[in-house]
Every structure is written in C-alpha cells, then in structure tokens.
Amino acid sequence: MSRQKDRRQVLRATLAVAASRALGFPLALAVSMWLTRVLPREEFAFFGVLATFSIVFAIFAQAGFQTGVVRMLGEAEAGDERHPAPTVVYAALLSTVVGSLLLGVLFYFAGREALPSIPGGSDWLFALAALLLVVRSVNTVAAEALRGIGRVGLSSNFSGQGNQGGVVRCVLVLAGFALASVFGVLTLETAIWASISASVICAIWALAIVLRYTGAGASAKDVVATIKARRHDNFNMVISEGLIFWTSGSAALVIGGMIIDAAMMAGMVAAFQLRNILTSPLTVIAGAVPNILIRLHREGDKEELERVMRTTGSAAFLLCLGVCGGLALIGPGGFRLLFGAGYGDAYFHFLIMAVGITYFVYCGLSGQALLLMGDTRVHRRVMMRVLAVTMPAYILLAYFAGPYGLSAALAGSMILQKHLLIRAIRQDLDLDTRAYLDPREYKKAFVMLKRILAEKTWGKG
C-alpha cells in the first residue's frame, strides 16, 4: 500500500472520528449540564463518579479484550490467520459478560465505598449502579470491535467509554432524560436507568454490525481456545490499562469520592467533564489509526510511523491550546452558565487541571504506541513508577487540601506520566510522539493535506 494512500486513510479515519467526537462531547457535556440543574450536588457527584468508576470496572471485566480485540482484529485484517475474526469477537464478548457479572456482584456487596456517600442511598440504587457497570463494560468492548475492523467512526458513535460514551449513547441518554422530565420523574435513579438502556441498545447494535462484517460462524471450542491463547498478553493488557487508570484523572475522581464530601466534589466533577473534552483529540487519533500504526510498525517504516503520530498529535495539541485559552477567558461566570449557578468553583478546578492537560496532549500517543506496538512490560514498569508517586499524592492532598489539592495532584500525575512514557518509547521503539513545536513542520503538514485533498483518488482510498 502506498504511503500516500496510507495518509488518505489516516485523514479519512481521523475526520470520521473527529466529526463523531465533535458531536459526542458536547452531547456528553449536555448530560452533565442537565443533571447539575435537576439533581442536588451530592447526587450529581454520585452519578459523575459512577460514570468514571465504570472505566476501571470495565478494564478488569473485559480481561484485556478492550485493547486486545482491536489488536487481534487488526492483525487478522493484516493477514494473521491464527484467530479468525468472528472467534475474536465472541471471545471478547464472552470474557466481558462473565467477568462483568462476577465483578458486578462483588461490587454490590463490597464496593459501595468506591462511590460518594449520599442521603437515601438504598440497596436498590446500588443494584442499579452495579447493572450499569456491567452493561457499559459490554457496550465498550462491542464498540472497540468496530474499531478493530476499521469502522472507527461507528466505533466512536457507539462507544461506551468516557463519561457518557459516543454520539448514539448520548442521544439515547438525553432522550431518556427528556421522557422522564415529561412525566416529572427525572431523578438519580431514572438517570441511571436511562444510562443502562442506552448501553444495552448500543452494545446490541454494534455487535450486529461487527458480526455482519466478520461473519457469525465460530465454534465454542475455538472461542475458548482463543481466550486461553491470549491469557498472557491480555493479563499484561489488564495490568497496563489498570495502571493507566490509577495514575489518571479518573482515579483522582474515584479517590476523591471516597474521601471528600460529595457536595464539595461536585465542582471538580463538573470541571472533569471539560478535561475529557480537551484530551479527546488524542482519543480521536488513537481510535482512528491503530491498524495503520500496527502495519507501519510491522513493515519497519519508522520514519512514516513517527510522522503519522507527530503530525496528528500536533493537530490535537493546537486544538487543546485554543480551547484551554477560550475556557480560561470565560471565568467563573462562564462556568456558572455552563453548569448552573452553584458551579463557579469548577472554573478554578479547571485552571489547575489545564497545566497538566496541555502537557498531556503535547506528548501525544506515547502510551498507546507502547501498548499497540511495543513491550507491554515496559509500559507496565513506567506506570508502576507513576503509581508509586501519584496514589499517595491523591490520597494525601485530597485528605489535607480537599478538592483543590486533588486537582493539583491530578495535573502533576498527568505531567509525570507523559514525561516517563516519552522516555520509555524512545528507548523501546526509538520513536518520538510529541507534537511539533517548529512552525515549519505545520507548514509541511498543511502542504501535505492540500495535496491529499487534491488527489483524484481521494474517494477510492
């Protein structure tokens, strides 16, 4: 495949995911904006931390298949015949269903301290929370299977990842809110029901598309054999992804929910929604190009591989700088317009986080590149070092300095994590994923973009 054709494919995939995210993240923000206006601060914090906790729950429930299904389907597309595509899909689904059900039961009986304490937190509410964790895990792996077969735009649309997921899931959640509002019953419980229903629909829809593409035939014996064959690699994936979570802002939110009063946490939870939007361009890139990155690495074309990562990462960095600057200018009053009169404090949390966010985006796809193409053990060692620093920092600063201390620890964690990952990827893969700072590189990228768009074969690539 020609490099020019590769670049057209990267551009089309990135634009497809970017268009989806351009709709999805404002819709996800709309979910939070709606809830901040109808729920008490404590209940909004509960819903927000539950959505964040679903990320770490899914990591263990999926047993490494969240990343593994993308990698294995990508390898199958590249000609690897060890595991047929339908078998990979069923293996990922079976592992996730069994794992999430077991962990859901464990959460119901022993995991309630992971969420903020709220008045009237009944057993039924926690049963609903456990059910939501299960269906979001299945939703996520089903959407990642779409990414593995190259349907990156659809994957982004049906995703269960992040605070509220992709466009389709957000629309369904908002439709549920609207229906509940019509009948005057939009409460925390009905908000969770709307989220559960949206994940079930997205999971079924995504799986139907994937199996129509890959075929639905696979023997139970081959599915079990695939799960067993991937145990070692998937174990490394789980550890690496778990370490990513516990050194990320998401972990800070969960830890804060355990230590800090729920009403005080609400401002940080609101600001965290914007953090997810600002880092989303990297999510777009990581989701758009995994197959191409894997193939370029297998072909040994390091120069083109690095150019793809740095050029797309540079676009994400420029966007992040612009949005951060705009949000900084609107002040506490602007945040009250976004989230409601009681959320001016979210602005100050955002300013603290913005330092770490900017550096995080500047460093590009360093972690994702190690997981997709490098030695997962290298990634794990790096994240263990970050964990040793950030976990005590999250706990101590949350306990002694409250939510603002926790926001500062979050920013520091993002900086430390990316700094160490950049060093690791240079040593393991001899690559640089950082955004360009030289204006001449942006000019080259612009010229290349114009040439790609002018190609007569644009529609055929």
Side-chain angles (χ1 to χ4, degrees):
M1 183 180 290
S2 71
R3 293 295 166 251
Q4 196 71 354
K5 188 175 182 181
D6 270 345
R7 291 168 180 173
R8 289 196 302 273
Q9 188 175 343
V10 168
L11 180 60
R12 285 200 308 274
T14 303
L15 288 175
V17 182
S20 173
R21 296 287 178 174
L23 291 172
F25 280 97
L27 288 171
L29 184 59
V31 171
S32 294
M33 292 168 62
W34 196 329
L35 292 181
T36 55
R37 286 164 168 80
V38 299
L39 299 181
R41 282 176 67 100
E42 295 90 342
E43 293 187 359
F44 170 70
F46 181 95
F47 187 90
V49 173
L50 174 61
T52 301
F53 183 76
S54 69
I55 300 171
V56 68
F57 182 93
I59 288 170
F60 293 101
Q62 292 159 351
F65 273 106
Q66 178 173 332
T67 302
V69 72
V70 178
R71 185 169 184 167
M72 293 176 72
L73 288 174
E75 289 170 349
E77 287 275 311
D80 190 332
E81 298 180 354
R82 290 174 298 171
H83 303 288
T87 302
V88 172
V89 176
Y90 287 125
L93 182 63
L94 178 61
S95 290
T96 301
V97 169
V98 173
S100 62
L101 286 173
L102 291 174
L103 289 176
V105 172
L106 180 63
F107 168 81
Y108 176 76
F109 288 106
R112 301 187 186 191
E113 294 302 317
L115 301 179
S117 177
I118 61 171
S122 65
D123 290 345
W124 174 243
L125 182 65
F126 283 97
L128 285 180
L131 179 58
L132 175 59
L133 295 174
V134 170
V135 297
R136 285 200 71 170
S137 297
V138 177
N139 181 181
T140 299
V141 82
E144 288 304 291
L146 280 169
R147 195 181 309 281
I149 63 172
R151 304 296 179 88
V152 292
L154 283 176
S155 175
S156 182
N157 287 337
F158 287 99
S159 177
Q161 293 190 75
N163 276 357
Q164 307 303 337
V167 171
V168 175
R169 190 177 186 280
C170 286
V171 169
L172 291 171
V173 169
L174 290 169
F177 288 2
L179 183 63
S181 296
V182 168
F183 292 99
V185 292
L186 182 52
T187 63
L188 176 59
E189 182 178 313
T190 54
I192 294 175
W193 267 120
S195 191
I196 290 169
S197 302
S199 278
V200 170
I201 294 171
C202 286
I204 293 172
W205 201 340
L207 282 170
I209 296 171
V210 171
L211 293 174
R212 186 172 60 188
Y213 178 86
T214 63
S219 71
K221 182 180 178 180
D222 288 341
V223 170
V224 173
T226 298
I227 294 173
K228 289 181 178 179
R230 297 296 300 188
R231 282 182 299 180
H232 178 71
D233 285 343
N234 279 3
F235 175 77
N236 286 331
M237 288 287 188
V238 168
I239 299 301
S240 296
E241 290 167 353
L243 287 170
I244 290 172
F245 177 88
W246 287 113
T247 53
S248 71
S250 299
L253 214 61
V254 172
I255 290 170
M258 299 178 186
I259 297 174
I260 301 170
D261 178 75
M264 294 178 64
M265 274 293 296
M268 183 182 177
V269 172
F272 193 76
Q273 318 305 309
L274 298 174
R275 179 260 185 195
N276 287 333
I277 292 174
L278 289 165
T279 57
S280 67
L282 284 185
T283 307
V284 169
I285 296 165
V289 297
N291 292 358
I292 294 172
L293 297 183
I294 291 169
R295 181 166 51 76
L296 289 174
H297 178 62
R298 287 164 68 100
E299 293 172 357
D301 194 343
K302 188 182 75 172
E303 181 179 351
E304 182 67 13
L305 175 61
E306 184 170 293
R307 178 166 292 278
V308 167
M309 288 192 294
R310 296 196 71 181
T311 301
T312 51
S314 296
F317 179 60
L318 285 180
L319 182 59
C320 177
L321 284 178
V323 177
C324 272
L327 289 170
L329 290 175
I330 66 175
F335 275 66
R336 293 189 189 99
L337 288 174
L338 283 175
F339 296 109
Y343 284 85
D345 57 329
Y347 172 75
F348 301 103
H349 286 291
F350 166 75
L351 287 183
I352 296 170
M353 295 179 194
V355 178
I357 291 168
T358 303
Y359 186 77
F360 186 91
V361 176
Y362 163 69
C363 291
L365 299 175
S366 50
Q368 291 92 336
L370 273 176
L371 286 176
L372 285 172
M373 300 173 291
D375 189 338
T376 57
R377 292 172 297 179
V378 173
H379 187 276
R380 185 164 67 246
R381 285 197 297 268
V382 170
M383 303 313 286
M384 286 294 293
R385 293 170 63 187
V386 178
L387 183 69
V389 175
T390 57
M391 281 292 285
Y394 287 158
I395 295 168
L396 290 174
L397 287 174
Y399 187 79
F400 290 106
Y404 290 107
L406 189 60
S407 290
L410 188 158
S413 172
M414 296 176 80
I415 293 170
L416 176 63
Q417 178 186 150
K418 283 296 188 176
H419 174 71
L420 295 179
L421 283 172
I422 285 293
R423 290 175 54 187
I425 197 172
R426 283 177 173 173
Q427 293 171 2
D428 191 52
L429 295 173
D430 191 27
L431 291 171
D432 188 355
T433 62
R434 294 175 299 175
Y436 292 118
L437 296 179
D438 186 343
R440 290 173 296 183
E441 294 295 339
Y442 290 91
K443 183 178 179 180
K444 289 179 185 176
F446 180 72
V447 171
M448 182 179 72
L449 175 63
K450 286 179 62 178
R451 187 167 60 249
I452 291 172
L453 292 175
E455 286 271 347
K456 292 182 180 179
T457 54
W458 163 253
K460 302 177 183 179

